[in-house]
Amino acid sequence: MAATREQIYSALFALVSAAGAFTTKSRKIKHWTEVRPAEMPAIYQLQKAEIFENAARGIPSRKYYYLDLFVYAYSPNNADTPSIQLNSLLDAIEAALAPDYTGNQTLGGLVSHCWIKGTIETDEGVLGQTAVAIIPIEILVNI
């Protein structure tokens, strides 16, 4: 039986939220201006879209899930850039999503592949003490 959406999204969140020393972990997003410094670093998961590609007869259709991970980091010291902490969190998430022995990240066998796809948007906190990254994730569901 194929994995449910909730099993897939829960598995991804468990994987990435355990990757770094996050104080706040949630699948209910908050804007970074609503997150107090004591609640950072923080990670949020936002479901965005699902795309179904119907294939030719005899070839399985493909199903993709798209979501964003929002990562917030805070530096209490005005002399330090919060991107220093943000960079280590991004490295940890990237490592967590690295392919397994099959060459794919399957979220424990639930999906065909899960990876970072696209541009990671960042604000390193140049004008403040909070750094933000938005990480685009693509999941190929069909196995």
Side-chain angles (χ1 to χ4, degrees):
M1 183 173 143
T4 66
R5 286 172 173 82
E6 187 53 34
Q7 288 172 321
I8 293 167
Y9 287 126
S10 292
L12 172 64
F13 189 69
L15 179 67
V16 296
S17 65
F22 293 104
T23 302
T24 302
K25 307 170 186 182
S26 180
R27 289 178 54 194
K28 185 174 181 182
I29 191 164
K30 280 185 169 181
H31 192 273
W32 52 86
T33 60
E34 298 173 350
V35 181
R36 296 183 326 239
E39 297 173 307
M40 294 185 210
I43 186 168
Y44 297 92
Q45 180 174 298
L46 175 69
Q47 293 175 220
K48 289 178 26 177
E50 297 180 10
I51 295 178
F52 292 75
E53 291 180 353
N54 295 319
R57 187 174 179 178
I59 300 174
S61 298
R62 290 185 173 193
K63 182 169 38 173
Y64 295 90
Y65 293 165
Y66 295 91
L67 54 126
D68 284 336
L69 301 175
F70 286 72
V71 178
Y72 309 150
Y74 178 81
S75 175
N77 182 347
N78 281 331
D80 292 337
T81 176
S83 64
I84 294 169
Q85 184 182 38
L86 183 67
N87 289 335
S88 66
L89 295 169
L90 293 175
D91 288 341
I93 291 169
E94 185 178 342
L97 288 171
D100 63 13
Y101 68 93
T102 67
N104 294 316
Q105 171 50 262
T106 65
L107 300 177
L110 296 176
V111 301
S112 291
H113 196 34
C114 175
W115 63 96
I116 297 170
K117 184 170 183 185
T119 302
I120 297 175
E121 297 180 45
T122 61
D123 176 342
E124 68 173 6
V126 174
L127 300 177
Q129 293 171 273
T130 301
V132 177
I134 304 170
I135 306 166
I137 303 293
E138 180 179 83
I139 300 172
L140 173 57
V141 178
N142 301 59
I143 310 180

